[in-house]
């Protein structure tokens, strides 16, 4: 009881809930608990802890970070043409993205993961704290179906962490009314107050709720509605109002709703609300 195991099949870490827990496949128990007809969906043998360190990059949970000393390097072979790659909840000095096709380099970008806009004089250079950028997005990858995508997050002499890496095709929705987006913070922490006024604070993850206002040609509305509905049910995607990470105008999450707020003869103003995934 309390021992940790790793499933090589699902790359998941489990903790044993029983003594003498032998011969019980944790993946099979999770599969059985997913049956909608089961009477008691509580686990008996195993508790899910999360993805292994290597697979946290792709587990759909940006708040669960993969960590390593000095560098995290990932090579992906998507097998299809992709045009975009993004990373979230990153702590690194820089990120380097390269693509090769048949052994030849066809794309290379290096991104400094610090916000230096506050540095305007020697005083701010010496005394302002370093502000890290925690996310990036690139939308100009060449469309090669058999390319190898290499992503490196680097911090010489320090620790690197990444919450989520996402790559895939690009799908233009429309033109943002104002370049960027509006957003608000969503905090899942809570503060409980007892009858004496004492506080109990439980600190949990926080995320962004983004609101994108997009001009869309009316002739595209029906097709756009059909494509957005394919993302229903909490399907995650990267939503980009502006690719400058300092504007907090992109989000890795699912849409909570969308509506046509205003229509003219040729254009409609569409509002899309996206909740970030923790």
């Amino acid at each position: 009881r309390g021992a940790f195991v790793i499933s090589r099949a699902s790359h998941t870490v489990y903790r044993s809930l029983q003594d003498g827990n032998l011969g019980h496949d944790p993946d099979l128990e999770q599969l059985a608990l997913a049956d909608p007809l089961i009477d008691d969906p509580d686990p008996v043998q195993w508790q899910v802890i999360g993805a292994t360190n290597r697979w946290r990059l792709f587990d759909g949970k940006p708040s669960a970070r993969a960590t390593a000393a000095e560098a995290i390097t990932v090579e992906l072979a998507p097998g299809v043409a992709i045009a975009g790659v993004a990373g979230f909840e990153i702590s690194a000095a820089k990120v380097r993205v390269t693509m090769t096709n048949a052994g030849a380099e066809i794309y290379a970008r290096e991104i400094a993961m610090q916000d230096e806009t506050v540095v305007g004089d020697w005083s701010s250079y010496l005394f302002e704290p370093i502000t890290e950028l925690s996310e990036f997005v690139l939308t100009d990858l060449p469309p090669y179906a058999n390319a190898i995508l290499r992503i490196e997050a680097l911090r010489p002499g320090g620790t690197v962490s990444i919450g989520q890496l996402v790559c895939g095709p690009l799908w233009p929705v429309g033109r943002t009314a104002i370049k960027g987006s509006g957003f608000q913070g969503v905090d899942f922490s809570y503060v409980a107050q007892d009858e004496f006024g004492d506080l109990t604070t439980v600190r949990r993850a926080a995320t962004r709720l983004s609101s994108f206002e997009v001009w869309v040609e009316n002739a595209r509305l029906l097709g756009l509605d059909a494509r957005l509905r394919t993302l229903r049910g909490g399907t995650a995607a990267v939503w980009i109002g502006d690719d400058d990470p300092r504007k907090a105008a992109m989000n890795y999450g699912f849409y909570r709703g969308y509506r046509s707020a205003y229509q003219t003869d040729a254009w409609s103003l569409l509002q899309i609300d996206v909740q970030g995934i923790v």
Side-chain angles (χ1 to χ4, degrees), residues 214-245:
V214 185
W215 285 109
V216 181
E217 294 177 275
N218 285 344
R220 296 183 57 234
L221 281 177
L222 185 61
L224 179 61
D225 174 63
R227 295 198 70 174
L228 284 173
R229 280 189 281 117
T230 65
L231 298 176
R232 65 189 182 276
T235 302
V238 178
W239 305 78
I240 307 167
D242 193 299
D243 57 9
D244 184 347

Side-chain angles (χ1 to χ4, degrees), residues 21-276:
N21 194 358
L22 302 175
H24 303 128
D25 188 327
D27 290 337
L28 292 181
E29 181 179 63
Q30 288 303 305
L31 186 63
L33 293 175
D35 186 343
L37 300 181
I38 192 171
D39 293 328
D40 183 6
D42 293 327
V44 176
Q45 304 292 342
W46 301 101
Q47 176 191 11
V48 178
I49 301 300
T52 59
N53 189 55
R54 183 185 297 268
W55 285 84
R56 286 176 192 162
L57 300 166
F58 312 106
D59 67 350
K61 300 175 181 178
S63 60
R65 297 185 179 191
T67 61
E70 295 197 338
I72 293 178
T73 302
V74 179
E75 283 193 352
L76 304 174
V80 295
I82 62 171
V85 60
F88 296 89
E89 294 297 332
I90 295 173
S91 179
K94 59 184 176 181
V95 172
R96 185 182 299 138
V97 177
T98 55
M99 287 184 74
T100 57
N101 186 65
E105 185 177 283
I106 56 176
Y107 181 90
R109 287 281 300 275
E110 188 170 285
I111 307 158
M113 298 301 291
Q114 289 87 33
D115 181 6
E116 299 178 350
T117 57
V118 297
V119 179
D121 51 33
W122 280 108
S123 176
S124 57
Y125 177 81
L126 293 171
F127 299 109
E128 281 289 335
I130 296 175
T131 303
E132 284 197 341
L133 300 176
S134 62
E135 52 198 52
F136 78 91
V137 63
L138 298 174
T139 57
D140 58 347
L141 276 61
Y144 285 75
N146 297 314
I148 303 298
L149 178 66
R150 181 182 176 93
I151 305 166
E152 302 169 89
L154 307 169
R155 190 196 302 279
T159 300
V160 177
S161 61
I162 301 177
Q164 197 70 192
L165 291 177
V166 188
C167 64
L170 290 178
W171 174 28
V173 175
R175 177 171 53 86
T176 48
I178 299 176
K179 195 168 180 59
S181 70
F183 69 92
Q184 66 186 65
V186 179
D187 186 3
F188 295 100
S189 305
Y190 72 86
V191 178
Q193 184 175 354
D194 64 17
E195 57 185 320
F196 300 103
D198 295 326
L199 301 180
T200 300
T201 301
V202 177
R203 187 180 177 89
R204 292 178 176 169
T207 187
R208 288 198 298 264
L209 178 61
S210 301
S211 180
F212 300 95
E213 290 191 343
V214 185
W215 285 109
V216 181
E217 294 177 275
N218 285 344
R220 296 183 57 234
L221 281 177
L222 185 61
L224 179 61
D225 174 63
R227 295 198 70 174
L228 284 173
R229 280 189 281 117
T230 65
L231 298 176
R232 65 189 182 276
T235 302
V238 178
W239 305 78
I240 307 167
D242 193 299
D243 57 9
D244 184 347
R246 295 169 300 180
K247 295 182 179 179
M250 57 185 177
N251 209 341
Y252 173 70
F254 60 94
Y255 77 77
R256 296 177 56 175
Y258 57 92
R259 60 186 178 276
S260 177
Y262 178 77
Q263 285 190 343
T264 67
D265 289 340
W267 296 83
S268 291
L269 183 63
L270 194 70
Q271 182 169 325
I272 306 173
D273 296 323
V274 175
Q275 180 171 320

Side-chain angles (χ1 to χ4, degrees), residues 11-22:
H11 308 286
T12 302
V13 179
Y14 294 93
R15 180 164 52 193
S16 175
L17 298 176
Q18 303 286 344
D19 287 326
N21 194 358
L22 302 175

